[in-house]
């Protein structure tokens, strides 16, 4: 009678694992209070902010990237809530203790929960894909669909680990609220869903795992993304291991082991401690590598500049558009002068511009026009006046006037060259206007990430605007493609600029 | 077959911060017996069970299950457990829950067999959350026996059951014993221990203070309650040397005594009109009071101090 263990065949153990998975899925499927918010809410957000209000429709790169961005949002929830809230409740109501006493195969609960989160993510991503294809009429290749699913289904793991950690700490009653307090800021501060208008918050975007997953989902659909693949993967693996180890420790202190045998308190061998330490150190190292690397290469790119004609054939390998692979910009001319507008034209001293630019190519309905006006700043002859109306048809409207320092005529915007301004410190110009807020936008090689931005107010009197180039978060000054001055604020606007210099 | 006990605590100590939960408890469960573990709240019963289930480890002393560490998966595959304070998933159905627990064991019963044995057919496919408290306990009991265990731990199995359900569960327990299953039972009902247990262990202050057959334990409880309606004054009764306690409740006097016969003789002699006389053996609470107050901190084994 002592060898009952041998009667527990591999087949029976496998059946136990599969049974636990099925039961966890059954539980979730029968709990609409969990299933509805975790799957439907992100999809509704995508429908509302991505497709309807954001203009993420049709075959432009913007549309498919909106899908990629919001699918990241949908991936976070099953991990955070599926692990966090459920674990907190089951820990409190004694279920975890009963599981410890039962001869459940090692790690079965964890695996079941993980598969469960992955299935939910797959459903969430597929639902958004369906919305994209049938509501947004966004054409998707099989490759794009498969890569997006793969990235999201594996990308839920860091959020599972965070959820597990939360679930090991907090009470079941408090869990939904506390996890929402983490979920929503982490999603929105990543800058993946909406651009962040705050320089500091922009700079710390790589701190959030959602930022790294967002870059990977963008890459999965062939969109442009920031940073390096290895940094994003390192950060996500680091987060997963770190929070997993912390959660196991916390649960262990509560007498719960999800991996198998309950740990005897105080009985950890020196070897085991050493292994734990090494694992923790490695996780923190990976995390730091990802976050620091991400911060370094988290350079500007431009949401506003994708042209509708860009090819986003998902069957091609994702274009790795990070800074290091783009050619360096040509050296800037010696003279700091960009444009004085005193020679009777809107032309700059070099490059292309200044040219009025609207957002029609991205589906926007903003209008803009520019002209020279008599009486520039400092009693010069003339200044450039830009006026128009910022529309609300798309998520990120932007109109203004643009200067491409290394621009060539008759060349697609995406193929325009760069200029190396890394030795310059300040972009200066005079501005006056209707008292509204305006933005200086500096675009680098990445056309779909968030560009470097600097806000200013154009008042009735001429005032100097000084843009500290090296303090703008993530602007790659070696590769400046375009400098635009304009408005994102819906409504009519009018401003004048003069004496544009970079020095 | 081996004579070694199926489960054993040997001089087990366990502290939670300043609180001593177990203070050198010795306990063993033999094959084919039902051991009832009795004791007031906080006596250490739950801790003892936790150690035997491998949920915790003793600070000092040892805990064994089938001669192995209780954490061992092989050992746990030979026992079933029903806990007291567990809320299971409200959306799963009893049949699914029993089947899943069964899948962890090498030679379990089929879920249908368990459902049938416990007469749970009517509720087997309804959400667990919609069941009554008693029905939930029956489902948990079903989960405990689903793996065809050799040893069953049952923590207050009949709390919340109505009389019929309790009788039915007792019958199942008797059948299981008859089939050779060993059972460790904690209960508040002396009646339950009397009806089922071969052996009783009384635990207080983390120690075994009394152990033995049900009759041996019952012998500790010599106090009886006499209920009656009498015109005699309270002071007069209270003055009799055999009377330990006296209280009055809506005209009925409750007299607690160790010598019921002597008190009855005095009562009948003093008041020819005395009516509604009832003599009751003390309840479990009084038994505990008696055993534990007689054993404030010392002793194990039977009756070495009173």
């Amino acid at each position: 009678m002592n060898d009952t263990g041998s009667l527990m065949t591999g087949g029976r153990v496998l059946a136990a694992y599969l049974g636990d998975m099925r039961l966890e899925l059954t539980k979730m499927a029968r709990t609409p209070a969990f299933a509805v918010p975790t799957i439907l809410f992100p999809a509704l957000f995508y429908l509302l902010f991505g497709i309807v209000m954001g203009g993420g429709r049709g075959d432009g790169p913007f549309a498919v990237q909106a899908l990629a961005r919001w699918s990241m949002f949908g991936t976070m929830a099953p991990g955070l809530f599926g692990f966090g809230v459920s674990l907190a409740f089951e820990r409190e109501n004694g279920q975890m203790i009963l599981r410890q006493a039962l001869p459940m195969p090692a790690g079965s609960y964890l695996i079941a929960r993980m598969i469960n989160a992955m299935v939910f993510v797959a459903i969430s991503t597929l639902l958004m894909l369906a919305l994209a294809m049938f509501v947004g009429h966004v054409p998707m290749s099989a490759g794009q669909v498969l890569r997006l699913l793969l990235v999201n289904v594996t990308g839920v793991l860091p959020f599972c680990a965070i959820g597990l950690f939360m679930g090991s700490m907090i009470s079941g009653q408090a869990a939904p609220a506390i996890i929402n307090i983490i979920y929503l800021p982490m999603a929105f501060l990543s800058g993946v869903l909406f651009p962040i208008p705050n320089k500091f918050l922009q700079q710390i975007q790589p701190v959030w795992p959602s930022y790294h997953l967002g870059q990977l989902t963008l890459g999965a659909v062939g969109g442009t993304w920031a940073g390096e693949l290895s940094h994003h993967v390192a950060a996500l693996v680091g987060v997963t291991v770190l929070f997993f180890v912390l959660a196991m420790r916390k649960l262990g202190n509560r007498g719960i082991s999800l991996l198998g045998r309950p740990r005897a308190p105080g009985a950890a061998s020196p070897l085991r401690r050493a292994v734990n330490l090494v694992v923790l150190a490695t996780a923190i190292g990976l995390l730091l590598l990802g976050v620091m690397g991400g911060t370094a290469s988290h350079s500007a790119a431009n949401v506003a500049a994708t042209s509708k004609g860009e090819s986003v054939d998902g069957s091609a390998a994702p274009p790795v558009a990070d800074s290091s692979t783009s050619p360096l910009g040509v050296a800037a001319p010696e003279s700091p002068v960009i444009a004085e507008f005193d020679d009777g034209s809107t032309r700059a001293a070099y490059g292309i511009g200044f040219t009025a630019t609207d957002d029609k190519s991205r589906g926007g309905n903003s209008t803009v026009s520019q002209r020279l006006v008599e009486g520039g700043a400092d009693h010069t002859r003339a200044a450039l006046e830009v006026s128009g109306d910022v529309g609300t048809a798309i998520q990120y409207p932007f109109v203004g006037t643009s200067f491409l320092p290394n621009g060539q005529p008759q060349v697609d915007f995406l193929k325009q060259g760069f200029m190396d301004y890394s030795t310059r410190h300040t972009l200066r110009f005079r501005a006056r206007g209707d008292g509204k807020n305006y933005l200086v936008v500096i675009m680098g090689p990445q056309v779909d990430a968030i560009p470097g931005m600097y806000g200013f107010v154009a008042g009735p009197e001429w005032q100097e605007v000084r843009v500290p180039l090296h303090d703008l978060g993530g602007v790659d000054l070696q590769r400046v493609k375009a400098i635009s001055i304009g408005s994102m604020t819906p409504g009519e606007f009018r401003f004048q600029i003069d004496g544009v210099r970079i020095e | 077959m081996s004579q070694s006990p199926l489960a054993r605590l040997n001089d087990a100590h366990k502290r939670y911060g300043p609180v001593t939960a177990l203070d050198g408890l010795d306990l063993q469960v033999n094959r084919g017996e039902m051991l009832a573990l009795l004791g007031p709240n906080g006596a250490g019963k739950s801790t003892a069970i936790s150690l035997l289930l491998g949920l915790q480890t003793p600070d000092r002393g040892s805990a064994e299950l089938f001669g192995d560490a209780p954490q061992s998966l092989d050992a746990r595959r030979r026992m079933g457990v029903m806990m007291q304070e567990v809320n299971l998933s409200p959306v799963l159905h009893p049949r699914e829950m029993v089947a899943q627990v069964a899948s962890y064991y090498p030679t379990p019963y089929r879920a249908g067999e368990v459902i049938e044995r416990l007469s749970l057919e009517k509720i087997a496919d309804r959400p667990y959350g919609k069941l009554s408290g008693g029905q939930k306990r029956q489902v948990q009991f079903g989960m405990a026996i689903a793996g065809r265990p050799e040893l069953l731990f049952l923590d207050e199995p009949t709390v919340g059951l109505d009389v019929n359900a309790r009788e039915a569960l007792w019958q199942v327990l008797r059948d299981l014993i008859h089939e050779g299953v060993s059972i460790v039972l904690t209960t508040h009902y002396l009646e339950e221990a009397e009806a089922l247990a071969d052996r009783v262990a009384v635990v207080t202050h983390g120690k075994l203070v009394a152990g033995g057959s049900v009759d041996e334990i019952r012998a500790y409880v010599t106090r009886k309650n006499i209920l009656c309606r009498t015109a005699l004054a309270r002071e007069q009764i209270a003055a009799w040397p055999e009377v330990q306690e006296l209280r009055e409740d809506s005209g009925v006097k409750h007299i607690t005594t160790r010598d019921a016969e002597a008190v009855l003789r005095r009562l009948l002699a003093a008041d020819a009109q005395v009516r509604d006389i009832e003599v009751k053996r003390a309840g479990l609470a009084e038994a505990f009071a008696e055993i534990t107050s007689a054993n404030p901190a010392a002793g194990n084994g039977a009756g070495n101090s009173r």
Side-chain angles (χ1 to χ4, degrees), chain A residues 197 386 398-401 427-441 453-459 461-468 472 483-489 493-498 500:
Chain A
V386 185
F398 179 81
V399 291
T401 186
L427 172 73
R428 296 169 49 178
F429 59 92
R430 302 296 177 114
R432 68 176 177 183
D434 53 9
K436 292 190 172 171
N437 290 312
Y438 293 94
L439 282 175
V440 179
V441 177
M453 293 193 283
Y454 184 86
F456 68 94
V457 176
E461 301 302 323
W462 283 110
Q463 266 185 321
E464 187 176 52
V465 178
R466 302 171 65 95
V467 182
L472 288 188
I483 298 174
S484 303
I485 302 171
S487 173
M488 286 185 83
T489 315
F493 70 90
R494 181 178 300 271
F495 68 93
Q496 298 174 0
I497 55 169
D498 199 5
V500 187

Side-chain angles (χ1 to χ4, degrees), chain A residues 263-274 276:
Chain A
R263 187 162 60 98
S269 69
L271 178 68
R272 189 174 172 153
R273 275 163 195 248
N276 275 345

Side-chain angles (χ1 to χ4, degrees), chain A residues 2 20 30 93 100 102, chain B residues 76 78 87 91 96 100 104:
Chain A
N2 270 326
D20 276 338
R30 289 182 193 159
N93 66 21
Q100 296 293 113
L102 292 175
Chain B
R76 279 189 285 146
R78 299 168 68 179
N87 295 309
V91 295
E96 296 165 332
Q100 189 50 24
Y104 302 149

Side-chain angles (χ1 to χ4, degrees), chain B residues 38-39 187-191 221 281-290:
Chain B
L38 306 180
T187 180
H188 275 98
Y189 305 127
L190 184 59
E191 196 190 347
V221 189
R281 186 190 292 280
L284 187 61
E286 284 123 325
F288 282 148
E290 182 127 349

Side-chain angles (χ1 to χ4, degrees), chain A residues 68-140:
Chain A
R69 292 167 193 280
W70 286 100
S71 74
M72 179 280 288
F73 187 56
T75 297
M76 295 173 70
L80 290 173
F81 289 94
F83 266 89
V85 178
S86 315
L87 181 67
F89 269 111
E90 293 179 4
R91 212 189 68 227
E92 274 184 346
N93 66 21
Q95 277 190 59
M96 296 308 297
I97 296 295
L98 178 61
R99 285 204 179 91
Q100 296 293 113
L102 292 175
M104 218 171 163
S108 182
Y109 173 77
L110 262 186
I111 293 170
R113 264 289 143 81
M114 208 173 72
I115 297 290
N116 194 50
M118 288 177 158
V119 168
F120 265 67
V121 166
I123 295 171
S124 170
T125 303
L126 285 171
L127 180 60
M128 287 197 212
L129 274 163
L131 286 174
M133 292 164 83
F134 300 113
V135 180
H137 303 291
V138 180
M140 300 285 298

